[in-house]
Amino acid sequence: MDWHTTRTFEKICAALDQEPRYIDNRGGARSGKTYAELQLAALLAMQDTRPTITSVVSENLPHLKRGAIRDFREALTNEGLWNENAWNKSECIYTFSTGSIIEFFGADVPGKLQGPARDRLIINEANRVEWEAARQLMVRTAGLVIYDYNPSAPFWGTDEIPRRDRYALVHTTFEDNDFLPDEVRREILANKGTGNWWRVYGLGLIGQIEGQVFN
């Protein structure tokens, strides 16, 4: 079936063709980064030939409920695939017909970080997650690691991971989100040229400390 996807999704899939260990999903506001990677996670889970585990992690569970979980439900609902019986609300786990699961939990729960292993990992708004938490998650992940963020400042995702082998960068902006409402697009463009805000949230580039210049 044909999914309703954006250029952001296409860029992530193109990066996946490189068979990376890490995908750095970096970009500006409303580029559809999280939505696209959750679409990919669902498609992979539906195509699995054996049951797999994909963990979607952010700073805490309330943050996930307001963002990634809502996007995940919407993505499957828009394709007519959401099954309420497959969703364990108390555990925040969705089980596909292949037996594969996608689970959501916060990085503020130590037992989850050092718990069971997984096949794939998505770190949502990774610049809000401490490096030690991310490291604990990654050493327990056998396959693909994707992390997304607005690049407001350097952190482990821009400094540590790019030095590693099998790394791929995906850079997107609001222009890559074909389904962005016109009013939101105009609102973002209204901030064009406003210094660091436009650099980070408009252009999806790593932010600078105001008043200082970096090469």
Side-chain angles (χ1 to χ4, degrees):
M1 64 176 294
D2 293 328
W3 283 47
H4 301 84
T5 58
T6 61
R7 286 189 294 276
T8 295
F9 177 86
E10 293 168 5
K11 288 183 177 183
I12 295 173
C13 288
L16 192 64
D17 289 340
Q18 302 173 35
E19 299 185 354
R21 159 69 169 174
Y22 311 96
I23 294 181
D24 177 339
N25 189 13
R26 176 189 311 178
R30 301 305 303 273
S31 67
K33 299 180 292 298
T34 305
Y35 194 98
E37 66 195 14
L38 289 170
Q39 285 182 310
L40 176 62
L43 280 166
L44 292 175
M46 292 166 62
Q47 296 168 4
D48 283 331
T49 56
R50 63 170 181 83
T52 64
I53 299 172
T54 299
S55 299
V56 181
V57 183
S58 193
E59 58 180 324
N60 54 52
L61 187 57
H63 182 267
L64 285 166
K65 287 181 176 179
R66 292 191 302 269
I69 292 176
R70 186 182 299 174
D71 283 350
F72 177 67
R73 179 188 288 266
E74 181 180 322
L76 289 185
T77 299
N78 286 345
E79 307 305 327
L81 297 172
W82 178 262
N83 178 1
E84 192 65 33
N85 294 326
W87 175 242
N88 184 323
K89 185 176 181 179
S90 61
E91 298 294 328
C92 293
I93 295 174
Y94 192 92
T95 305
F96 292 85
S97 59
T98 56
S100 293
I101 68 169
I102 295 180
E103 60 177 5
F104 299 80
F105 62 86
D108 57 341
V109 182
K112 292 280 190 178
L113 299 179
Q114 300 179 21
R118 66 192 57 81
D119 300 277
R120 305 178 189 112
L121 172 65
I122 294 173
I123 305 180
N124 174 233
E125 296 202 23
N127 51 346
R128 295 172 176 260
V129 175
E130 296 293 334
W131 166 236
E132 185 54 34
R135 179 159 53 183
Q136 291 289 352
L137 290 165
M138 288 188 284
V139 298
R140 291 168 175 79
T141 302
L144 179 66
V145 174
I146 306 178
Y147 59 97
D148 66 77
Y149 58 99
N150 298 124
S152 55
F155 74 113
W156 58 261
T158 59
D159 296 342
E160 171 65 30
I161 304 302
R163 297 198 297 264
R164 299 186 175 188
D165 294 334
R166 298 176 60 206
Y167 162 86
L169 171 64
V170 174
H171 172 256
T172 57
T173 73
F174 66 99
E175 298 286 7
D176 294 298
N177 185 350
D178 311 283
F179 300 107
L180 190 66
D182 289 340
E183 285 298 331
V184 176
R185 187 180 304 275
R186 284 192 287 269
E187 187 65 34
I188 294 173
L189 285 168
N191 294 280
K192 189 173 183 178
T194 56
N196 204 46
W197 193 99
W198 176 250
R199 177 181 175 84
V200 173
Y201 298 102
L203 302 178
L205 302 176
I206 298 175
Q208 297 177 342
I209 299 174
E210 297 288 4
Q212 297 188 29
V213 177
F214 296 93
N215 292 325

